[in-house]
């Protein structure tokens, strides 16, 4: 087949589709045919809809009266009285001998980030790279790193003395 025959067959198919899908033409003097079964179904549907509307109207709830909430999470104030049992008695104090030891001092606000080692005149010198609130500081033994004085530098840790005189060990974290 050539392109001309394709065009002719396609055109004939489109024309046939148009003619067969159009609604039927009614003559000017002739009344359209009625379908009594369709009208009966429509009245049945309208009756059914009315029955369902009446059933739903009878099941409708009354309007709920608005009551303000009993608490407001954005306002702080005195608590409302509750029906809870009386508060428990305060626990007896622990004797001083039985009290646990005080918590250890918090770690210093510095962090050891690295240790560098150089050999000068056959002597090994270490430099600690410390991160403080002021920034990154390189310090040798005896130097200040923020508010702390570096006392000793090991291969994986640094001992520092704080402003209060306590000695602490800061380990190198991998």
């Amino acid at each position: 087949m050539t392109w001309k025959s394709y065009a002719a067959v396609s055109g004939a198919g489109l024309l046939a589709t148009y003619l067969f899908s159009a609604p039927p033409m009614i003559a000017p003097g002739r009344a359209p045919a009625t379908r009594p079964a369709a009208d009966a179904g429509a009245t049945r549907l309208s009756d059914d809809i009315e029955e369902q509307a009446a059933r739903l109207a009878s099941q409708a709830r009354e309007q709920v009266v608005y009551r303000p909430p009993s608490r407001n999470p954005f306002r702080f104030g005195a608590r409302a009285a509750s029906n809870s049992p009386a508060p428990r008695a305060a626990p007896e104090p622990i004797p001083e001998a039985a009290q646990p030891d005080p918590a250890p001092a918090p770690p210093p606000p510095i962090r050891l980030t690295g240790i560098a080692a150089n050999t000068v005149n056959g002597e090994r010198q270490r430099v600690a790279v410390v991160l403080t609130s002021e920034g990154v500081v390189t310090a040798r033994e005896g130097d200040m790193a923020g508010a702390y004085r570096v006392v000793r530098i090991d291969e994986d840790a640094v001992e520092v003395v704080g402003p209060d005189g306590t000695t602490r060990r800061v380990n190198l974290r991998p």
Side-chain angles (χ1 to χ4, degrees):
M1 281 175 87
T2 64
W3 69 271
K4 291 181 183 179
S5 59
Y6 279 121
V9 170
S10 298
L14 287 174
L15 183 62
T17 303
Y18 173 74
L19 292 175
F20 287 111
S21 66
M25 300 279 285
I26 300 174
R30 190 170 167 202
T34 60
R35 297 183 181 164
D39 291 339
T43 55
R44 240 184 300 127
L45 284 176
S46 65
D47 291 341
D48 188 37
I49 290 174
E50 289 174 8
E51 288 174 22
Q52 288 181 10
R55 181 177 57 86
L56 289 173
S58 68
Q59 292 178 355
R61 288 189 267 167
E62 295 178 13
Q63 184 69 20
V64 177
V65 177
Y66 174 75
R67 292 184 193 134
S70 62
R71 70 178 194 97
N72 185 351
F74 301 105
R75 184 172 293 167
F76 300 100
R79 294 183 125 185
S82 64
N83 295 338
S84 62
R88 298 179 188 172
E92 295 180 22
I94 302 172
E96 293 212 19
Q99 287 185 351
D101 294 333
I110 63 174
R111 196 171 109 203
L112 180 62
T113 58
I115 296 176
N118 288 335
T119 306
V120 177
N121 297 332
E123 188 177 319
R124 193 160 179 97
Q125 295 179 349
R126 291 191 177 118
V127 177
V129 181
V130 181
L131 180 64
T132 65
S133 60
E134 300 166 356
V136 178
V137 177
T138 57
R140 294 189 177 127
E141 290 181 3
D143 291 348
M144 293 294 287
Y148 293 88
R149 178 172 302 282
V150 177
V151 177
R152 184 173 154 198
I153 302 174
D154 293 332
E155 290 183 21
D156 61 346
V158 173
E159 287 185 12
V160 294
V161 175
D164 58 351
T166 58
T167 303
R168 296 184 181 145
R169 184 174 176 91
V170 181
N171 292 325
L172 179 65
R173 295 182 185 160

